[in-house]
Amino acid sequence: MVPANTAAIPADRELFPGFSSLKVEVEPGLSIACVTDAVAGDTRPPLLLLHGHPQTHAIWHKVAPELARHFTLVAADLRGYGDSAKPAGAPDHANYAKRRMAADMATLMRLLGHERFAVLAHDRGARVAHRLAADHAQAVSRLVLLDIAPTLAMYEQTSEAFARAYWHWFFLIQRAPLPERLIEADPAAYLRDVMGSRHAGLAPFDPRAFAEYGRCLAQPGSAHGLCEDYRAAAGIDLEHDRADRDAGRKLPMPLLALWGAQGVVQRCFDPLAEWRRVAEQVDGGALPCGHYVPEEAPAALLERALPFLLAA
């Protein structure tokens, strides 16, 4: 399992100039796509960037230049998303469990030479990061999670307001192939309707990044991959989270939780209180934006996240 250079897609050349595009086989037959700015003799500490639904690593293009001044960056596509592998789901959805997706990222970073690293993650990627920090605590130095409360808390506290706002949580978990078929009928419309219905509409998104989200969502297997991600979250992931809670296990590393002041997480949950139930060292607060923090409020994100990450 050796990292292989791939031809940079046009969006990567434009959004991440100077980065290398890689596909890394993290288990036999399953490769994770990523971009990295690592160079020979690099002394910058590593930082893993993980995206959310229905996006790709392109979400980080606005903050990558400043982050790269301080860190060796690895921006990866989750399994089922972007240009990463999209395996068929298992009956219990275990191959899209956050435990399995977190193992992808631990292996990716190790194969790239990073035994210990910080993580900055948004939305679905933040759920993978939560499990990465729980299962591979020795590898994760610091954790920044964007616009989520813990999955278990969000399901256990589901209200009518939350269900209406996060309707896709309950649509995507329906039995295959119903949601897949509806998304595949018009992937571009799904993207516009889901992302455009949030606080800021489509205005925050660079057309090149938005086109990249559309290209990837239209790939065979993409709709199934993201549905399986959500199906796992509503089943096997809750089992893993309950096991941690019942055993009294907490994340040991410092955690910074940030969320959009205009978002659903702010309206429906108490993020700091919920993260303090599952982590030992928690700080954070709201930023002046909605859900898509790295694209809506890149300067505000850097202002809060950089001092925390550099304190390591």
Side-chain angles (χ1 to χ4, degrees):
M1 295 187 290
V2 178
N5 284 294
T6 61
I9 58 174
D12 280 348
R13 288 197 297 268
E14 294 184 17
L15 297 174
F16 297 92
F19 282 60
S20 298
S21 297
L22 304 176
K23 280 197 174 180
V24 180
E25 190 177 46
V26 296
E27 60 182 63
L30 194 147
S31 293
I32 296 297
C34 66
V35 295
T36 181
D37 66 339
V39 295
D42 210 332
T43 60
R44 297 168 298 163
L47 175 62
L48 174 64
L49 306 175
L50 298 177
H51 66 88
H53 157 274
Q55 299 174 282
T56 74
H57 68 268
I59 73 164
W60 302 109
H61 72 98
K62 292 183 181 180
V63 296
E66 180 60 24
L67 291 173
R69 295 181 59 239
H70 309 278
F71 301 97
T72 299
L73 301 182
V74 178
D77 290 339
L78 303 173
R79 79 161 59 189
Y81 292 82
D83 288 308
S84 288
K86 301 166 180 65
D92 63 354
H93 316 296
N95 58 342
Y96 281 87
K98 302 309 155 291
R99 173 157 288 160
R100 192 74 171 271
M101 296 169 83
D104 290 343
M105 297 305 156
T107 302
L108 169 71
M109 293 300 278
R110 179 172 49 80
L111 290 173
L112 293 177
H114 308 307
E115 297 290 340
R116 186 167 167 82
F117 49 90
V119 185
L120 169 57
H122 175 250
D123 187 64
R124 307 310 295 180
R127 302 191 190 284
V128 174
H130 177 190
R131 180 48 54 189
L132 178 64
D135 288 0
H136 306 271
Q138 75 286 351
V140 178
S141 59
R142 287 185 169 246
L143 195 59
V144 182
L145 304 181
L146 303 182
D147 210 59
I148 69 165
T151 306
L152 182 58
M154 292 177 74
Y155 269 118
E156 290 188 339
Q157 298 173 36
T158 291
S159 63
E160 179 182 354
F162 172 66
R164 286 180 178 274
Y166 270 32
W167 59 268
H168 61 287
W169 273 40
F170 307 97
F171 164 66
L172 296 172
I173 66 175
Q174 300 306 306
R175 184 174 299 183
L178 174 62
E180 286 94 332
R181 185 182 296 129
L182 296 175
I183 293 169
E184 289 167 351
D186 195 341
Y190 178 80
L191 198 69
R192 290 193 305 271
D193 292 345
V194 169
M195 296 179 65
S197 65
R198 304 275 190 153
H199 161 69
L202 295 176
F205 304 110
D206 185 301
R208 298 168 298 178
F210 195 78
E212 182 64 3
Y213 306 146
R215 177 187 73 83
C216 291
L217 185 58
Q219 291 180 2
S222 286
H224 181 64
L226 64 88
C227 288
E228 284 295 299
D229 168 21
Y230 281 80
R231 289 173 183 135
I236 193 168
D237 290 347
L238 299 181
E239 296 175 15
H240 296 156
D241 291 348
R242 289 191 181 105
D244 284 348
R245 181 176 65 184
D246 293 347
R249 290 188 287 265
K250 288 191 169 187
L251 304 182
M253 69 289 296
L255 186 158
L256 179 67
L258 302 171
W259 61 91
Q262 307 301 321
V264 175
V265 171
Q266 163 85 4
R267 293 200 304 273
C268 295
F269 303 97
D270 184 343
L272 283 185
E274 296 304 332
W275 283 114
R276 285 171 177 153
R277 296 181 196 276
V278 301
E280 295 176 356
Q281 306 174 62
V282 180
D283 195 6
L287 298 179
C289 60
H291 176 62
Y292 298 103
V293 179
E295 290 166 294
E296 291 184 47
L301 171 58
L302 289 167
E303 184 177 1
R304 290 299 303 271
L306 262 179
F308 171 82
L309 292 167
L310 290 170

